[in-house]
Amino acid sequence: MKNTKKANKSVHLSALKAAFPHTVPIMAGFLFLGASYGVLMASEGFSFLYPMATSILVFAGSMEFALAGLLLGGFDPLSALILTLMINSRHIFYGISMIDKYKGMGLKKIYMIFSLCDETFSVAYTAEPPPTVDRGWFTFYISLLDHSYWVIGATLGGIFGSLIPLGIVGFDFAMTALFVVILLEQLMKEGNLLFVIIGGLSSVLALLVFGQDSFIIPAMLLMLLAIVLTRSVVDKDKSQREEPS
Amino acid sequence: MTFYEGIITITIVSVATMLTRFLPFLIFKSGKLQSGYMNYVGRALPPAVFAMLVIYCFKGMSFAAPSGFLSQLIATAVVVILHLAFRRTLLSVAAGTAVYLLLVNLFFV
């Protein structure tokens, strides 16, 4: 009994030790961005319990920033649902890529799927544990460490954000800056320009027609429609690359 | 929004996020995607959605007076330039936010 317990403990310890170095680059980012999210929530008058709870329960950075906006607006469950599905749709493709890697990992797999954010995916998909370390627990601790950094950052931001003098405004720009950076990164990937234009034009059009309080859903429908319609164009481009258009 | 409406909104966002994470594990047996169509939409959605989110952030801009857009414009330019130069997300976000805070609190009150 005692021996299995000891062996079990060393499995965890060695997995945690092997996982930690892979998460260090993410630690800085998550502590800072998490803290910005916490400060933003505090500056809008929310208790630190909000950023703490949402960073535990949602754990999808850009969605949490968007959630801050949702909580400040009027009650609109349908928009909240559709916005979440659209922003987080990329998770579906992370999941598909991890199906084989997460096979046979038992109960901890449930937590690993629950916490599969962009950064955890990029590390868990590529990082190789040393041969003596259990792969399942290695990936589990990568997920847990990343999640913890974000929760710690958001909670501290929420606590200390309330110390910021009243009347200082503009912390919400952290969200704008983050989205601009992600958009730039998307633009640097080949073939994405068309989709950025589609997303931008659909949104501007919907904003002009429906106004700023109710443009999100029409913008998303328009965007989906345009994406579906351009598929034939994109594919045609591929098959008729030689022909001038 | 009342307290309970807030709780409901957080619950919806949380459950919908979980749905996007658990769905592939529930419906696909292996990681080989059968449909090229899904692949295409999956590739197209993220860039389009982030373009929408940037527009969403700028939705309140007003061009009636310089104070309605100048701070955002300058701070966004700082973010873009820094990111193109250094490609460090933290640096771009921190510097852009700092510039914005200075502008809105000191110059365009």
Side-chain angles (χ1 to χ4, degrees):
Chain A
M1 259 317 212
K2 211 175 174 187
N3 275 336
T4 21
K5 217 173 178 182
K6 206 174 170 189
N8 212 356
K9 199 177 167 190
S10 84
V11 164
H12 282 268
L13 205 63
S14 64
L16 180 61
K17 271 186 185 159
F20 177 67
H22 290 280
T23 67
V24 169
I26 294 166
M27 176 163 53
F30 272 21
L31 286 176
F32 173 79
L33 280 176
S36 318
Y37 169 64
V39 169
L40 164 66
M41 290 296 276
S43 73
E44 300 289 359
F46 291 101
S47 144
F48 76 92
L49 293 171
Y50 276 84
M52 191 170 91
T54 54
S55 58
I56 292 172
L57 293 172
V58 180
F59 190 43
S62 35
M63 191 56 230
E64 286 169 53
F65 278 99
L67 174 60
L70 290 175
L71 289 173
L72 290 169
F75 184 53
D76 189 353
L78 184 64
S79 292
L81 176 68
I82 295 179
L83 186 68
T84 310
L85 293 178
M86 292 285 279
I87 294 182
N88 289 334
S89 58
R90 65 189 189 286
H91 292 152
I92 293 171
F93 299 89
Y94 299 163
I96 290 168
S97 314
M98 296 309 269
I99 288 176
D100 294 330
K101 288 194 178 249
Y102 282 3
K103 216 160 241 171
M105 286 195 177
L107 275 179
K108 59 182 171 298
K109 181 171 152 181
I110 295 174
Y111 172 73
M112 283 150 63
I113 297 172
F114 169 78
S115 59
L116 189 58
C117 66
D118 310 59
E119 288 77 3
T120 297
F121 169 72
S122 65
V123 177
Y125 189 72
T126 50
E128 281 295 322
T132 53
V133 170
D134 180 84
R135 175 183 290 276
W137 287 110
F138 172 75
T139 319
F140 175 85
Y141 280 114
I142 290 175
S143 311
L144 184 65
L145 285 168
D146 287 352
H147 196 175
S148 315
Y149 302 146
W150 183 259
V151 173
I152 291 168
T155 307
L156 290 179
I159 292 171
F160 293 105
S162 58
L163 302 177
I164 290 162
L166 282 175
I168 301 236
V169 293
F171 285 100
D172 54 333
F173 192 81
M175 170 168 81
T176 309
L178 178 65
F179 289 160
V180 168
V181 165
I182 298 175
L183 184 63
L184 283 175
E185 290 289 331
Q186 291 286 341
L187 275 169
M188 290 174 194
K189 283 184 204 150
E190 208 193 321
N192 273 356
L193 179 64
L194 172 71
F195 304 126
V196 168
I197 293 172
I198 287 177
L201 280 183
S202 313
S203 310
V204 171
L205 196 67
L207 181 59
L208 293 175
V209 175
F210 296 94
Q212 53 167 292
D213 292 325
S214 46
F215 80 100
I216 288 280
I217 291 178
M220 288 190 286
L221 292 176
L222 208 58
M223 182 192 307
L224 268 180
L225 184 71
I227 286 174
V228 169
L229 287 179
T230 45
R231 182 173 188 213
S232 53
V233 180
V234 174
D235 281 359
K236 219 185 252 171
D237 267 9
K238 257 181 209 158
S239 56
Q240 306 179 343
R241 203 169 282 168
E242 307 310 317
E243 276 184 24
S245 57
Chain B
M1 190 176 292
T2 67
F3 174 75
Y4 289 106
E5 288 172 347
I7 298 296
I8 292 170
T9 304
I10 292 172
T11 307
I12 288 172
V13 171
S14 174
V15 171
T17 302
M18 278 191 236
L19 188 68
T20 61
R21 285 183 174 147
F22 279 94
L23 203 60
F25 291 89
L26 299 175
I27 56 176
F28 295 109
K29 284 280 171 287
S30 88
K32 306 276 175 297
L33 259 192
Q34 300 304 315
S35 144
Y37 206 79
M38 283 274 286
N39 262 327
Y40 170 74
V41 175
R43 191 165 60 85
L45 263 185
V49 166
F50 280 104
M52 181 195 77
L53 286 174
V54 169
I55 305 287
Y56 173 83
C57 292
F58 292 131
K59 67 177 182 176
M61 260 197 328
S62 139
F63 296 96
S67 62
F69 63 90
L70 214 51
S71 309
Q72 275 181 321
L73 218 59
I74 294 170
T76 304
V78 169
V79 173
V80 172
I81 291 165
L82 284 177
H83 201 69
L84 291 179
F86 301 107
R87 230 178 146 180
R88 306 291 291 245
T89 301
L90 288 191
L91 174 73
S92 319
V93 171
T97 309
V99 167
Y100 185 75
L101 282 171
L102 283 177
L103 289 174
V104 287
N105 291 295
L106 294 180
F107 298 106
F108 296 107
V109 184

